Amino acid sequence: MSPDLGGGLALVVVLALVVGRLAPGHRVRVRLIWWWLSLSVACALASLIAGIARPELSPQLNIVAWMFVLMGLVHGGTVLLFHVILRRLELPRLPSDLVTGIGYGVVVFSTLRRLGADPSSLLTTSAVLTAVIGLSLQDVLVNLVGGLILEFERGFSAGDWIRTDQV
């Protein structure tokens, strides 16, 4: 294991401990940070073993171990930001999930590029697929956006009555 990977692992451990201490109500989210850390350690150990048996695999496994470290940092950072620092704003869960998903996407695409794959072809294919699915699900998407707008505006609260026609 390289010293820089060890430092990244230590940073994820510290972040997980801090988030676990400051956000005790989000144990599931903190547990996911530990899962990313465990996967990273497993890949780092596999990289050490591959260095003996198949040395050509060791650099790729090291890159994948870094990917899991970065996933833990992204997840821990968003939990720290949205559920500890911005806790008083009482934001819906959606912004936190969106930032986490975008962070995961950036980490995966940068890892693919470091491994020698071309993620731009994946982006092109997924953009075409998204357009086809978006056109076929227009009604569902309109209702989804309407629901999100109602969620963000918070024009209603629990116990409010809604009248339609004479009902």
Side-chain angles (χ1 to χ4, degrees):
M1 177 171 31
S2 62
D4 54 342
L5 182 61
L9 290 171
L11 184 61
V12 174
V13 167
V14 169
L15 182 63
L17 291 173
V18 166
V19 169
R21 177 83 172 145
L22 296 176
H26 297 281
R27 290 179 192 241
V28 173
R29 292 179 182 270
V30 174
R31 193 175 307 141
L32 187 55
I33 301 170
W34 289 108
W35 275 106
W36 289 126
L37 181 69
S38 301
L39 289 171
S40 179
V41 169
C43 284
L45 290 175
S47 175
L48 287 174
I49 294 169
I52 298 168
R54 303 212 27 212
E56 68 275 4
L57 288 179
S58 184
Q60 284 94 1
L61 287 170
N62 199 21
I63 291 171
V64 173
W66 260 111
M67 178 187 75
F68 290 133
V69 165
L70 293 174
M71 294 284 209
L73 288 175
V74 165
H75 192 78
T78 56
V79 172
L80 185 66
L81 176 67
F82 285 97
H83 301 287
V84 175
I85 297 172
L86 300 176
R87 175 183 15 201
R88 292 181 186 217
L89 294 179
E90 296 180 12
L91 294 171
R93 190 173 154 188
L94 183 67
S96 170
D97 291 346
L98 283 176
V99 170
T100 304
I102 290 169
Y104 285 167
V106 168
V107 168
V108 167
F109 283 118
S110 65
T111 301
L112 286 174
R113 187 168 301 278
R114 285 186 66 196
L115 287 172
D118 184 23
S120 63
S121 62
L122 182 63
L123 282 175
T124 305
T125 305
S126 65
V128 170
L129 186 62
T130 301
V132 169
I133 291 173
L135 289 173
S136 64
L137 295 175
Q138 278 182 333
D139 293 334
V140 173
L141 290 174
V142 166
N143 291 333
L144 177 71
V145 170
L148 289 175
I149 289 172
L150 286 175
E151 176 71 27
F152 283 120
E153 286 182 355
R154 294 186 182 181
F156 305 104
S157 61
D160 286 351
W161 288 79
I162 299 173
R163 176 176 290 229
T164 59
D165 291 334
Q166 298 301 320
V167 180

